[in-house]
Amino acid sequence: MALTASVTAASAQSPVRQADSVLLSETQDGECLVRRFLVKEQDDADYSIRYRISSAQLNTSFESNGSQLAGLGELVEGMLADSLTEVAGVSITGYASPDGPLSLNQNLARRRMQDFKNYVDRRYGFSRKYDVKSGSQVVSWDEVREAVATSAVPERQRVLEILDSRLSAAEKQAELKRMPAVWNYLAAHILPPFRRVEVAIDYGQGIVVEQRERMPRPVREEIIIVEPACPPAPVDPCCEELCRSNQLGMIVALPDNEVDF
């Protein structure tokens, strides 16, 4: 069931103009035009929790974790207080950076996911209240390449050539480690953000927004009929013709000397 909100025409301009909104109906209520839109929710709430290298234990004070966890807590409290809020599901995904043995990273990503899932279950009872989907993933060097392309890493072009090559993941890592300045930059600035857990909360089908807009009143048009000008009548010595375009027939006036009683 979607959430419903009623908005005036002025305040409705922003939500109903979004590309992810769908017009559901358009009706007339008195002098108002009533439109109902479904505003779809995408990536409703995302939180990213960082983990230290080779660690699967949550550190609430590490990097931006404090603000991320505080935001998540405020969101959960709001969801619990609002009975109209429908949560379709929660996803928790653990990640590991690609440096190191693949099997070790796969295990590390799973442990990070499980560690954070245990945290939100203890604190908020997520698994009891919501449909929680969990998973894990080792970030590929292809994803690292996207971050490298916009970075200030030394010998960036050479690094991109290595990442674009057909070498195996282990061989790419070995080539990068042969360049100490490059590897130190990657270890300090590129790889740490990939060691994380991401939480996404899906608010179901979306929010139904109702827009009421007063319809413009029709403008009354006055129709003015302009009579065509009377064409000049020929002057006859015997009589004069008086013509009016809105009369049928004519009025004839005879000269005095031809009046016969």
Side-chain angles (χ1 to χ4, degrees):
M1 179 179 180
L3 303 181
T4 304
S6 179
V7 293
T8 63
S11 63
Q13 297 303 313
S14 176
V16 300
R17 295 295 186 267
Q18 294 178 5
D20 57 353
S21 65
V22 178
L23 178 63
L24 298 177
S25 63
E26 183 175 282
T27 58
Q28 184 176 344
D29 181 9
E31 296 183 351
C32 290
L33 181 65
V34 182
R35 296 188 182 96
R36 298 178 75 246
F37 295 86
L38 173 63
V39 182
K40 297 179 180 179
E41 301 292 342
Q42 297 178 351
D43 297 331
D44 299 289
D46 287 321
Y47 297 91
S48 182
I49 312 300
R50 300 283 187 85
Y51 279 77
R52 293 185 184 276
I53 186 171
S54 302
S55 173
Q57 183 175 358
L58 176 63
N59 185 331
T60 58
S61 60
F62 181 59
E63 295 192 358
S64 60
N65 286 353
S67 61
Q68 291 288 300
L69 293 172
L72 176 61
E74 292 177 4
L75 177 71
V76 173
E77 290 177 4
M79 291 191 304
L80 296 177
D82 187 357
S83 60
L84 295 178
T85 300
E86 177 187 355
V87 177
V90 177
S91 64
I92 301 175
T93 308
Y95 293 88
S97 57
D99 51 311
L102 177 60
S103 59
L104 176 64
N105 289 335
Q106 290 173 334
N107 182 54
L108 193 57
R110 283 193 298 268
R111 288 167 53 209
R112 285 171 177 166
M113 173 273 295
Q114 191 61 54
D115 176 72
F116 195 77
K117 184 174 181 296
N118 292 340
Y119 170 82
V120 293
D121 280 346
R122 288 194 309 269
R123 193 173 184 89
Y124 306 114
F126 263 30
S127 295
R128 296 194 307 271
K129 297 181 178 71
Y130 311 119
D131 178 19
V132 178
K133 294 180 174 60
S134 56
S136 59
Q137 178 181 338
V138 177
V139 176
S140 68
W141 283 108
D142 290 337
E143 295 175 75
V144 173
R145 187 205 185 281
E146 297 178 13
V148 168
T150 57
S151 72
V153 62
E155 301 183 60
R156 182 173 62 184
Q157 189 56 42
R158 174 55 183 155
V159 173
L160 293 176
E161 290 175 1
I162 294 173
L163 296 177
D164 289 336
S165 69
R166 296 187 177 184
L167 297 174
S168 67
E171 290 170 335
K172 290 179 180 180
Q173 179 173 311
E175 287 294 319
L176 294 171
K177 282 189 172 182
R178 291 191 179 98
M179 298 180 285
V182 169
W183 187 254
N184 290 338
Y185 186 94
L186 295 176
H189 303 288
I190 302 295
L191 297 175
F194 295 109
R195 303 164 186 143
R196 69 192 189 277
V197 166
E198 288 193 352
V199 183
I201 299 175
D202 179 13
Y203 288 126
Q205 298 177 357
I207 300 175
V208 176
V209 177
E210 184 178 279
Q211 174 188 359
R212 303 178 69 87
E213 184 175 358
R214 186 177 295 277
M215 300 176 62
R217 294 184 178 182
V219 179
R220 296 182 59 186
E221 296 183 357
E222 295 185 0
I223 301 176
I224 301 176
I225 300 176
V226 180
E227 296 179 354
C230 181
V235 178
D236 191 309
C238 297
C239 66
E240 295 179 353
E241 281 190 359
L242 303 180
C243 174
R244 291 181 59 86
S245 63
N246 62 341
Q247 291 184 342
L248 298 176
M250 66 179 64
I251 299 175
V252 178
L254 300 176
D256 293 341
N257 58 357
E258 294 189 8
V259 176
D260 187 6
F261 292 99

